[in-house]
Amino acid sequence: MNAQKDSFELYHYGESLCSQMVRLTLEEKQIPYLSHHMHLELTGENLSRAFKKINPNAVVPVLIHNGTPLYNSWEIIRYLDNHAPTQGTALMPKSAAGLAALDEKVMENALRGDIALGDNFGTSIAGASTYILAHILKRRPALAVMWDYVTKHPDPIRKFAFCVLRLRGGLPKPLYKKFIHRLALGLADCEQRLADGRDYMFGDYTMLDIMMTAHLHRLEDVHLDGILATGKLPHLAAYWQRVQARPSYQPAITDQHSWEWRAAMDDVYQGQASPFLPLLESQLDARLSDLESRKAAA
Ligand SMILES: N[C@@H](CCC(=O)N[C@@H](CS)C(=O)NCC(=O)O)C(=O)O
């Protein structure tokens, strides 16, 4: 990588999972960038004409490399690792088998637009956070929010979802149950993966650990992190400490917290565990015992 010629600019939001992933990548790869921190629900800045010229889909993150915009967090992560393979941390497994297995795991953790909310781990943790989004949206008059989303958001499902959030303060309850169920499956699978004592999901640190770092941080934000203190996920709990101890964590995650998100979190949870924690725990128990009996039968 030629630092003289290369210029990177990132359009992002403090608490957006995908922005966190890209920032973690830039830190791990030691790539400096010009930061354009934006607000999403608070001001609808992503729906502005100016930003839609940068990303017609009106979502963050967008990484501009030497004038070319790059979209989709997982594609940006791969791009950066290919661009500077020997700089900072290498983010791909070394073996062909590892690479193929990584693809599958990345798709489970990505915020994909081609599946329904709650159909994978990534969209479930995002879905579980929507009470926070609803709270931020409440800072603006309902009509202003609806006007913005209905007339300016290019995604028909999101435009509807944001209006529902503003009007109802959350999505329909069965959806949260779906998110919790999918989260329990993902957490149990991570625990099983780490149970052989490996430090990271593929042994060495990879882009999957970047994605998991953002997701586990979000688990804290939605006050479901009590699940890591139950003693049922000892390897995952240790892993969470390990990824937070990396030098990338503070600059990419905690230094970038957005005030309106933190305030909404405090209002929604009032310092208490999420009311969905007992459901998460019971679903986790079911999944862990299912995995145990499969192991015993094998
Ligand atoms: N597939 C995209 C998803 C991007 C995305 O959904 N970003 C969210 C924040 S994590 C966003 O900008 N939401 C604002 C909106 O839809 O109005 C990626 O991986 O980068």
Side-chain angles (χ1 to χ4, degrees):
M1 165 167 156
N2 184 341
Q4 297 291 303
K5 276 205 284 181
D6 272 324
S7 104
F8 289 96
E9 287 183 49
L10 182 65
Y11 289 82
H12 61 121
Y13 172 62
E15 265 79 1
S16 126
L17 289 165
C18 305
S19 300
Q20 290 170 336
M21 293 172 194
V22 171
R23 292 195 304 259
L24 281 167
T25 305
L26 289 160
E27 293 298 331
E28 290 285 344
K29 301 300 299 174
Q30 294 164 15
I31 296 175
Y33 62 97
L34 180 65
S35 163
H36 300 281
H37 185 274
M38 299 174 44
H39 292 283
L40 303 178
E41 292 75 23
L42 182 70
T43 59
E45 194 179 345
N46 57 311
L47 304 175
S48 67
R49 246 184 235 163
F51 183 67
K52 283 200 283 183
K53 280 190 188 145
I54 295 166
N55 185 359
N57 292 325
V59 293
V60 293
V62 181
L63 184 72
I64 315 271
H65 180 210
N66 296 337
T68 304
L70 304 160
Y71 311 117
N72 274 332
S73 45
W74 65 94
E75 284 166 13
I76 299 175
I77 300 171
R78 286 183 202 274
Y79 178 91
L80 288 170
D81 198 54
N82 274 333
H83 178 72
T86 55
Q87 183 174 310
T89 313
L91 296 175
M92 298 297 152
K94 309 267 177 305
S95 69
L99 277 171
L102 179 79
D103 275 349
E104 193 190 319
K105 289 279 154 203
V106 163
M107 286 298 113
E108 260 177 56
N109 284 284
L111 263 84
R112 296 166 53 179
D114 60 336
I115 59 171
L117 211 55
D119 277 1
N120 73 355
F121 191 83
T123 58
S124 296
I125 191 72
S129 332
T130 44
Y131 287 119
I132 299 177
L133 300 188
H135 221 78
I136 300 175
L137 289 169
K138 248 175 48 187
R139 289 179 178 272
R140 290 197 285 150
L143 272 178
V145 169
M146 288 172 62
W147 172 260
D148 248 14
Y149 282 93
V150 170
T151 63
K152 300 181 195 159
H153 206 301
D155 180 326
I157 294 179
R158 287 195 189 200
K159 99 173 38 183
F160 178 68
F162 280 107
C163 291
V164 169
L165 283 179
R166 176 60 186 85
L167 294 176
R168 294 183 78 247
L171 299 172
K173 195 121 182 235
L175 268 180
Y176 292 100
K177 293 193 174 156
K178 176 183 176 190
F179 304 150
I180 294 293
H181 174 69
R182 190 61 194 77
L183 288 178
L185 300 187
L187 293 172
D189 290 351
C190 286
E191 177 64 19
Q192 196 188 36
R193 202 174 176 84
L194 295 166
D196 61 7
R198 63 181 74 185
D199 279 347
Y200 296 108
M201 293 292 170
F202 277 87
D204 291 333
Y205 189 86
T206 66
M207 70 180 281
L208 184 59
D209 301 299
I210 289 200
M211 300 178 101
M212 283 313 301
T213 305
H215 292 336
L216 291 173
H217 176 262
R218 179 61 63 87
L219 203 68
E220 274 190 1
D221 283 3
V222 296
H223 288 227
L224 285 170
D225 54 317
I227 201 71
L228 297 176
T230 57
K232 293 173 185 174
L233 298 167
H235 297 94
L236 188 61
Y239 169 85
W240 175 222
Q241 296 304 318
R242 202 172 298 128
V243 290
Q244 285 178 92
R246 292 181 72 86
S248 56
Y249 185 75
Q250 187 186 328
I253 307 283
T254 47
D255 285 355
Q256 310 265 353
H257 280 166
S258 312
W259 67 267
E260 75 273 20
W261 182 280
R262 299 284 122 196
M265 252 174 67
D266 292 346
D267 280 350
V268 171
Y269 297 102
Q270 307 270 328
Q272 306 292 313
S274 162
F276 289 103
L277 184 58
L279 179 64
L280 180 62
E281 200 170 341
S282 66
Q283 302 259 320
L284 178 71
D285 288 344
R287 178 62 172 182
L288 288 172
S289 76
D290 183 37
L291 290 174
E292 270 311 305
S293 34
R294 282 194 217 184
K295 213 159 75 185

